[in-house]
Amino acid sequence: MKRREFIALLGGAAIIWPLGTSAQQHIRRVAVLSVGVAPQSREFALAHELAKLGYIEGNNITYDIRGAEGDSSRLPQLALELVAKKPEVIVGSTSTVAVVLANATREIPIVMMVVGDPIALGLSNSMSHPSRNVTGFTMSTTALAAKRLELLRELVPGIRKVAFLRVRDNPITKRTGEEVQTAADMLDLKIVPLPVASGADITTAFTIAEKEGVTAILIDGDPLMVRFSGTIIDECLVRDLPAMHPWPFEVRNGALISYGPATVENYSRTALYVDRILRGISIGELPFEEPTQIKLAINLRTARSIGVTVSPTLLARADEVIE
């Protein structure tokens, strides 16, 4: 998946019936709320997946897309604008967007491509039978954050102090931070929290990390961090700092190591959920789903560049290795 597509959205088997191509058929309205830059529908991977199911823009579907361009304070107003358009489904990504959309409407079905723990966020009382108008695909954020820290310690056994680079406004960050701290206590590591809200905060955060004597970086799983990924990778390379990233495609862009969901599958799975809703299936029948693929990726070029030696044991466990 292209990094810019993922930045833009910050975007089980189904029985599929032919939709037909009659000019008289009903035009379905799908809205999309992004914390990043709003993608053009022709470049939007979700629209491509829906086209495979027979939904062709200009024929039987139209998209209303809004993007906050990285400024989460704009999300509530953008959500209200979309709700006013009366779409049949709203699609979003990130925990922040999920909470904003759930506050904006309790009637319009909402499908989240990537979201944290929906119960902890107050979006539902159940994973298997969503109790409100929200469903989608979770990141297992808190559990994965602890596992990432463990893998980072395995990669660089000598680390003692780790910076936790996280999104300031993520509503589930407090719980994630608690899980990271618990894992750090077990590994005898000190955690230095570094909350950021924009790309301008990244260099400042690394300057603080350097002053604190941090020897490694753990990056939060909020997809908004992908907007800052290039800067984070550059800072780590300049400072010879090992960093654990959440998304496999970041390793292809130069990150040292990542452990997390293969998010490319979320586009096709989200398209299936949207299709089911447009066919009349209720949200309560569409369970929240956890990632089916968790991948470990390692970039050996980056490892050599910053002086990290990857053990054969860890290398053998990797699902993807960049030579």
Side-chain angles (χ1 to χ4, degrees), residues 10 33 35 71-73 75-76 93-103 112 114-116 121 123 139 167-173 222-224:
L10 301 176
L33 181 58
V35 76
D71 182 0
S72 58
S73 67
L75 288 172
S93 186
T94 82
S95 299
T96 304
V97 171
V99 172
V100 167
L101 287 174
N103 289 337
M112 298 304 300
V114 182
V115 69
L121 290 168
L123 302 174
M139 297 182 293
V167 174
R168 182 176 300 155
D169 298 325
N170 187 332
I172 206 168
T173 292
D222 190 315
L224 180 58

Side-chain angles (χ1 to χ4, degrees), residues 52-222:
K52 295 176 184 178
L53 302 179
Y55 296 95
I56 309 300
E57 188 175 18
N59 180 12
N60 58 3
I61 194 168
T62 185
Y63 297 97
D64 293 308
I65 304 176
R66 298 288 188 277
E69 299 182 348
D71 182 0
S72 58
S73 67
R74 296 180 57 203
L75 288 172
Q77 180 58 40
L78 293 173
L80 291 176
E81 290 177 11
L82 288 176
V83 169
K85 296 280 187 180
K86 301 187 184 304
E88 295 173 80
V89 187
I90 304 178
V91 176
S93 186
T94 82
S95 299
T96 304
V97 171
V99 172
V100 167
L101 287 174
N103 289 337
T105 177
R106 286 182 172 266
E107 289 76 37
I108 301 172
I110 298 165
V111 180
M112 298 304 300
M113 280 186 35
V114 182
V115 69
D117 184 337
I119 296 176
L121 290 168
L123 302 174
S124 178
N125 296 326
S126 168
M127 292 285 288
S128 57
H129 297 286
S131 57
R132 290 185 54 184
N133 59 320
V134 186
T135 188
F137 307 92
T138 74
M139 297 182 293
S140 298
T141 308
T142 54
L144 285 179
K147 182 62 177 179
R148 289 183 186 115
L149 185 61
E150 180 183 328
L151 286 167
L152 185 58
R153 170 65 180 273
E154 184 176 347
L155 176 68
V156 193
I159 60 174
R160 291 292 177 267
K161 188 179 287 190
V162 178
F164 180 37
L165 199 61
R166 61 177 178 81
V167 174
R168 182 176 300 155
D169 298 325
N170 187 332
I172 206 168
T173 292
K174 183 176 184 292
R175 185 178 172 197
T176 304
E178 291 170 352
E179 290 290 333
V180 167
Q181 187 59 60
T182 298
D185 290 343
M186 294 179 63
L187 296 168
D188 194 25
L189 296 174
K190 178 176 175 56
I191 296 295
V192 178
L194 294 176
V196 298
S198 69
D201 297 334
I202 299 299
T203 298
T204 301
F206 272 88
T207 300
I208 294 172
E210 187 174 42
K211 290 180 179 178
E212 290 282 345
V214 162
T215 51
I217 306 289
L218 176 68
I219 299 164
D220 187 21
D222 190 315

Side-chain angles (χ1 to χ4, degrees), residues 269-317:
R269 294 162 74 200
T270 300
L272 289 173
Y273 266 31
V274 171
D275 175 60
R276 291 178 181 180
I277 290 168
L278 293 177
R279 296 186 186 281
I281 302 298
S282 70
I283 285 284
E285 298 177 70
L286 300 173
F288 283 98
E289 293 186 4
E290 296 186 337
T292 60
Q293 300 179 50
I294 304 294
K295 292 189 174 183
L296 173 64
I298 299 172
N299 190 318
L300 290 179
R301 288 185 309 218
T302 299
R304 289 191 292 269
S305 175
I306 66 175
V308 170
T309 300
V310 183
S311 71
T313 302
L314 188 59
L315 203 57
R317 289 160 54 193

